Amino acid sequence: MDIGSVDELLTTTRAVRKRLDLTRPVEREVILECVRLAMQAPTASNAQDWRWLVITDADKRAGIAEIYRSIGAEYLAAAAAANASDAQTRRVYRSALALTETLGEVPVHVIPCLQRRINGNDLLDAASAWASIIPAGWSFLLALRSRGLGSVWTTMHLAKEQQVAELLGIPPDVTQAALFPVAYTIGTDFRPASRPPAETITFWNSWGEH
């Protein structure tokens, strides 16, 4: 295993919003390749209850985008203004705000789902459920990156999950986990993000002990 290539993949798979190529089609087989890789991720109790809803229909993508915009546009604009003194956080919010305007034009939307409803009042149940879809979702994003595509893990639409479910015919016993807008990226020269030293956020044996 080439550790250098693996480390590059892990450190440069970024949240891509502004550098999505809105004009280049995304092949069906490429999406399926990434789903196949994502399916190798572990699931709680070997349930294998992930499901993947891929949306390429222009009208449905526009409908999702309108729901997304109705939730996020005002909030993200306010958040960008409120974080004016933090350049990195401000850029993130401005980038997220820009996505509310272009989401409908992104050629593919992917919604990772679980074939069950999550009980938010039971921590063990909820943790097991999310542990069944989050590793697969991240593997999907890594697979996209390795093939010259990009995306961003978004959850804004979940504020109106039922509306999206009705638009897409998602049954009531299914939980949507995220929304991935998928496209080829404009360039592939992504860099690691600025993060604090690992030593400052890692505790040993007891909380607070470095």
Side-chain angles (χ1 to χ4, degrees), residues 80-119:
N83 287 276
S85 61
D86 183 338
Q88 183 177 4
T89 302
R90 186 177 67 251
R91 284 196 300 272
V92 169
Y93 278 118
R94 285 181 174 174
S95 176
L97 178 61
L99 183 64
T100 65
E101 298 300 323
T102 60
L103 180 60
E105 301 173 59
V106 179
V108 178
H109 295 178
V110 177
I111 299 180
C113 301
L114 281 173
Q115 186 73 58
R116 58 168 143 161
R117 295 303 300 178
I118 296 175
N119 179 4

Side-chain angles (χ1 to χ4, degrees), residues 155-199:
T155 56
M156 188 79 69
H157 81 289
L158 296 178
K160 295 184 178 179
E161 182 198 15
Q162 186 56 42
Q163 288 188 28
V164 176
E166 291 173 0
L167 175 67
L168 302 175
I170 300 174
D173 63 340
V174 169
T175 300
Q176 300 171 55
L179 168 64
F180 302 149
V182 177
Y184 282 96
T185 58
I186 300 171
T188 58
D189 54 330
F190 295 96
R191 297 175 295 177
S194 175
R195 296 289 189 260
E199 293 81 0

